[in-house]
């Protein structure tokens, strides 16, 4: 028994005789008749009553036919799933994030992607840059959004958008009365940064802007926890404009009037193990970033 035998039976049932079934399939009627007879021998029962008017299923044939249609429907579903996955319109993307996708423009990009490809689930993993690099290499992640200051050598990356930096201050801090700040005003402050063991990319980036003599305090925590410590008066930090849009209790955000107060957010992935859905995701983000003029 093979799949073609089941298709011949279905065609004969739908057509009502072997001749019309053969015409639909582009075969000789003798081929249809011979294959169905062979299947009946294999099953040990008669599927069709044959007469001059055509053919019709026997009671046993009706029982078998229900299973045949179910099998063919499952085969069609497998083929459809293969086509959709090959086109990158269904599946899953395991996405690493160095920063939560809040505010604009990353939140808007992901929302637009989901609206365009609702059949693709996006599973998010918040990690620091060393974890992201290892997870991509081990294929535990398919892609990730990483700030330019946290990129590792030889990463396959695509610049997506630029983020402006803001100063995040305790609400009662004396600098909170200023409309804008420069690096000089912040260099005398205790600056809280995210850092994990040897992963101190954010501190190094902030030091390149503020100077290495600044009092940096690293915390193995996300930006939300850092902002909570800022609110409690432990120091100040630098936040992105998208983070500032959402606000934080007892924290004041002020723009930084320096030309270099920004960084680029990049999409990174492994081209050599790229699935169709990942390729579509990368192309979508590239085209959307270009159309929106995000850089």
């Amino acid at each position: 028994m093979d799949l073609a035998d089941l298709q011949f039976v279905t065609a004969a049932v739908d057509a009502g005789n072997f001749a019309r079934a053969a015409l639909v399939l582009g075969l000789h009627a003798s081929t249809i008749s011979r294959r169905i007879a062979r299947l009946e021998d294999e099953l040990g029962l008669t599927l069709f009553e044959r007469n001059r008017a055509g053919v019709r299923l026997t009671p046993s044939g009706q029982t078998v036919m229900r299973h045949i249609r179910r099998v063919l429907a499952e085969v069609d579903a497998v083929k459809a799933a293969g086509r959709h996955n090959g086109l990158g319109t269904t599946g899953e993307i395991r996405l690493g994030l160095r920063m939560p996708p809040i505010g604009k423009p990353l939140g808007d990009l992901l929302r637009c992607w989901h609206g365009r490809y609702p059949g693709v689930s996006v599973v998010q993993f918040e990690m620091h840059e060393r974890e992201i690099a290892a997870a991509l290499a081990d294929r535990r992640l398919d892609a990730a959004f990483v700030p330019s200051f946290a990129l590792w050598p030889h990463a396959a990356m695509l610049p997506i958008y630029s983020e402006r930096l803001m100063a995040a201050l305790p609400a009662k801090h004396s600098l909170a009365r200023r409309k804008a700040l420069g690096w000089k005003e912040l260099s005398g402050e205790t600056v809280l940064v995210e850092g994990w063991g040897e992963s101190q990319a954010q501190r190094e980036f902030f030091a390149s802007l503020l100077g290495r003599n600044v009092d940096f305090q690293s915390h193995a925590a996300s930006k939300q926890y850092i902002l909570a410590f800022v609110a409690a008066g432990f120091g100040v930090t630098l936040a992105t404009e998208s983070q500032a849009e959402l606000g934080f209790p007892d924290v004041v955000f002020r723009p930084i009037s320096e030309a270099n107060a920004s960084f680029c957010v990049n999409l990174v992935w492994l081209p050599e193990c790229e699935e169709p859905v990942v390729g579509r995701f990368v192309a979508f983000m590239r085209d959307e970033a270009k159309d929106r003029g995000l850089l």
Side-chain angles (χ1 to χ4, degrees), residues 87-111:
L87 293 172
T89 56
T90 61
E92 178 183 274
I93 295 175
R94 298 163 298 176
L95 183 64
L97 295 163
R98 181 63 174 79
M99 304 180 301
I102 55 178
K104 297 179 179 180
L106 183 52
D108 285 348
L109 288 171
L110 291 174
R111 191 178 304 111

Side-chain angles (χ1 to χ4, degrees), residues 254-270:
R254 293 289 179 262
I256 297 174
S257 56
E258 303 279 0
N260 60 347
S262 66
F263 61 87
C264 182
V265 175
N266 304 271
L267 180 61
V268 296
W269 74 102
L270 292 179

Side-chain angles (χ1 to χ4, degrees), residues 91-167:
E92 178 183 274
I93 295 175
R94 298 163 298 176
L95 183 64
L97 295 163
R98 181 63 174 79
M99 304 180 301
I102 55 178
K104 297 179 179 180
L106 183 52
D108 285 348
L109 288 171
L110 291 174
R111 191 178 304 111
C112 186
W113 163 265
H114 182 61
R116 190 83 57 86
Y117 301 103
V120 179
S121 63
V122 178
V123 183
Q124 301 178 41
F125 299 85
E126 186 176 5
M127 302 176 175
H128 60 68
E129 59 278 358
R130 287 182 179 269
E131 292 173 328
I132 288 175
L136 282 170
D138 296 340
R139 302 190 184 186
R140 290 179 286 117
L141 288 180
D142 299 306
F145 285 101
V146 180
S148 53
F149 60 81
L151 285 173
W152 53 93
H154 313 303
M157 62 87 178
L158 181 69
I160 299 296
Y161 66 95
S162 180
E163 279 273 19
R164 289 291 300 173
L165 285 170
M166 308 276 287

